Amino acid sequence: MLANNANGSPLLGSREVQVVAPGVFTIGLQGNSLAVETDQGLLIIDSGPAPHLVPGALESLREHTDKPVRWIVYSHGHLGYNYGVPGFLEAAAERGEPRPTLIAHENVVRRYRRYLETAGLQNHINTRQFRRPIEDFPVVPPLTFPDQTYQESLTLSTTGRTVRLLWAPSETDDVTAVWLPEDRILYGSAAVINGIPNIGTPMRTMRDTVRWADTLDRLAALAPAILIPEFGDVVRDRPAEQLTATARALRWLRDAVVERLNRGMGVDDIVHDVDYPAELFDVPWMRENYGHRDYIVRDVVRSETGWWDGNPTNLHPSRPADAAAVRADAITDKQAVLDHAARLRDADRVQDALHVVDLLALAPGDDPEIQRARELKAELCALRAKQATSYVSRSFYRASR
């Protein structure tokens, strides 16, 4: 599963160096960030969320190897995974070592340019998804662009250990997996998280379910003996089977959604109609600890249809505040709405209560009933957060507005 560190984040590693195999270490900067020894020096995958964390990680790593850092590979282009790069560059300079070469898939460059263009949007998303105040995020993200990029694969010029970088589109279109063929060790990067694939996260761009499944099958074909996921425990027991089983689950779910779309069903009905086979979904590596099966359903629907939910009211809607105001004005007995929502809450029908309380809670103004509705909604969201298995769902409930 995705382990939380002391600060409660599922993204940060344990901050301890773990020996996976001789010369292969997880270093805990961001999930299972990795260090690999070669005769030419160390390969680092994922430099972590901040430069100030690098000295401690390097100090722990130096207990196992004193080789210089030769390459830093970006596992993918999500913000925070590569913020630690300046710390590694500074450490190399202090030791009088050559500057490490920064390597990434070519799509990272396009992603970074988009992040610079949409920095404000990214900050607003991150503050809700990771439960941090907006002040924690820089106005302009401190991005370090790679020195070298590749398209399909890249074999590093090493001796003593072959290191291959493989394009592994999955959570993003710029993911790099790392394959050590002599060791038969695979670092799955963002394609493998020891949880249900992170497809359809509520405020993120669409992710291709079938493409992710195809990537997992290609990685499984390498027949790894050891699989290092981006998050979670190292997999030593039949890792290829875990990869192919996840791919089968994703393809099954897409087929199930498309079959229902072909019958004319809408997304909310599909979410509640799918019956998930236990042999594909009730397995340890498909836990809904970060992503969620409902998210995947919604992303598959989004990939095949437009934005409209089929309700004519929502085709050209009023401004949200105006629509909420006229709904609230139409209710002459607002206390009855509050009482009914409270009864549903007490009957443990929290989601139903949210639907009812929104008749008032979304309305503008400071009328006493409206304020009480907002307070009740906050209480209901806190209850839903306790019920949710997905970290992302919990975050959005706790960041309710």
Side-chain angles (χ1 to χ4, degrees):
M1 61 179 296
L2 304 188
N4 289 354
N5 74 333
N7 294 321
S9 171
L11 299 182
L12 304 180
S14 65
R15 298 291 188 241
E16 297 178 357
V17 172
Q18 304 287 337
V19 180
V20 177
V24 181
F25 315 93
T26 61
I27 57 177
L29 281 169
Q30 187 85 328
N32 287 329
S33 47
L34 201 66
V36 178
E37 270 190 318
T38 74
D39 290 347
Q40 283 67 38
L42 290 171
L43 166 74
I44 300 293
I45 301 99
D46 285 337
S47 63
H52 75 268
L53 298 174
V54 172
L58 280 175
E59 182 179 359
S60 297
L61 184 60
R62 297 303 178 201
E63 297 177 6
H64 302 271
T65 175
D66 199 45
K67 287 183 176 292
V69 176
R70 175 68 182 82
W71 303 275
I72 299 174
V73 172
Y74 295 12
S75 70
H76 64 303
H78 273 166
L79 293 173
Y81 284 79
N82 307 305
Y83 281 168
V85 166
F88 280 97
L89 301 183
E90 182 179 343
E94 290 175 352
R95 284 167 57 108
E97 297 167 351
R99 180 184 184 276
T101 300
L102 314 180
I103 305 176
H105 187 266
E106 63 181 4
N107 289 341
V108 166
V109 174
R110 182 173 67 242
R111 178 176 299 276
Y112 272 14
R113 288 172 179 160
R114 177 168 67 85
Y115 283 164
L116 289 172
E117 180 184 13
T118 62
L121 169 64
Q122 303 304 323
N123 289 346
H124 283 289
I125 292 173
N126 288 332
T127 191
R128 299 185 74 178
Q129 185 165 330
F130 301 115
R131 311 177 203 164
R132 292 171 57 188
I134 192 71
E135 293 79 16
D136 284 1
F137 298 97
V139 175
V140 178
L143 303 179
T144 307
F145 280 75
D147 303 316
Q148 179 181 355
T149 62
Y150 73 98
Q151 291 183 328
E152 296 290 336
S153 65
L154 176 66
T155 300
L156 299 183
S157 298
T158 63
T159 57
R161 171 174 272 139
T162 303
V163 178
R164 291 180 184 150
L165 310 182
L166 306 174
W167 183 39
S170 45
E171 183 174 20
T172 64
D173 66 354
D174 52 19
V175 174
T176 293
V178 180
W179 174 234
L180 310 177
E182 290 94 354
D183 305 276
R184 293 181 59 209
I185 295 175
L186 173 67
Y187 177 67
S189 188
V192 185
I193 61 172
N194 265 354
I196 195 166
N198 188 22
I199 298 170
T201 304
M203 298 187 72
R204 302 294 182 183
T205 55
M206 191 172 64
R207 292 156 186 180
D208 191 319
T209 303
V210 174
R211 183 182 69 179
W212 197 320
D214 290 344
T215 292
L216 293 174
D217 280 338
R218 285 197 302 273
L219 295 178
L222 298 170
I226 296 175
L227 172 64
I228 305 172
E230 184 182 38
F231 299 100
D233 296 335
V234 173
V235 181
R236 300 177 186 270
D237 181 22
R238 296 178 294 181
E241 292 184 25
Q242 176 173 324
L243 298 173
T244 57
T246 304
R248 282 197 304 274
L250 292 180
R251 290 197 176 90
W252 181 93
L253 185 50
R254 183 187 184 278
D255 289 346
V257 172
V258 170
E259 189 272 332
R260 287 162 174 79
L261 286 173
N262 286 336
R263 287 195 267 134
M265 293 179 65
V267 61
D268 290 331
D269 286 326
I270 294 174
V271 163
H272 292 283
D273 190 66
V274 175
D275 187 15
Y276 294 85
E279 66 272 17
L280 292 179
F281 290 90
D282 294 346
V283 291
W285 56 84
M286 292 293 282
R287 295 187 187 101
E288 294 170 340
N289 41 26
Y290 194 77
H292 198 282
R293 59 186 68 176
D294 289 0
Y295 295 170
I296 301 178
V297 170
R298 294 185 182 280
D299 230 30
V300 172
V301 172
R302 192 165 54 146
S303 72
E304 299 295 340
T305 69
W307 53 266
W308 185 40
D309 64 2
N311 181 353
T313 303
N314 297 327
L315 193 57
H316 296 285
S318 304
R319 290 179 182 272
D322 294 342
V326 295
R327 282 195 297 268
D329 288 343
I331 299 170
T332 56
D333 189 350
K334 294 180 174 58
Q335 186 60 48
V337 172
L338 295 171
D339 291 343
H340 187 51
R343 286 194 296 271
L344 290 169
R345 175 204 60 199
D346 295 342
D348 201 27
R349 296 172 60 184
V350 181
Q351 183 60 47
D352 290 339
L354 278 170
H355 292 302
V356 172
V357 82
D358 267 355
L359 294 171
L360 300 176
L362 299 179
D366 55 3
D367 290 347
E369 295 93 343
I370 302 300
Q371 291 181 342
R372 288 199 294 274
R374 293 173 189 152
E375 293 168 359
L376 177 55
K377 182 173 182 178
E379 177 188 346
L380 294 170
C381 286
L383 292 172
R384 287 293 279 141
K386 292 179 181 179
Q387 296 171 345
T389 57
S390 162
Y391 172 90
V392 175
S393 294
R394 291 196 299 273
S395 292
F396 287 140
Y397 282 127
R398 289 170 177 164
S400 62
R401 296 173 178 174

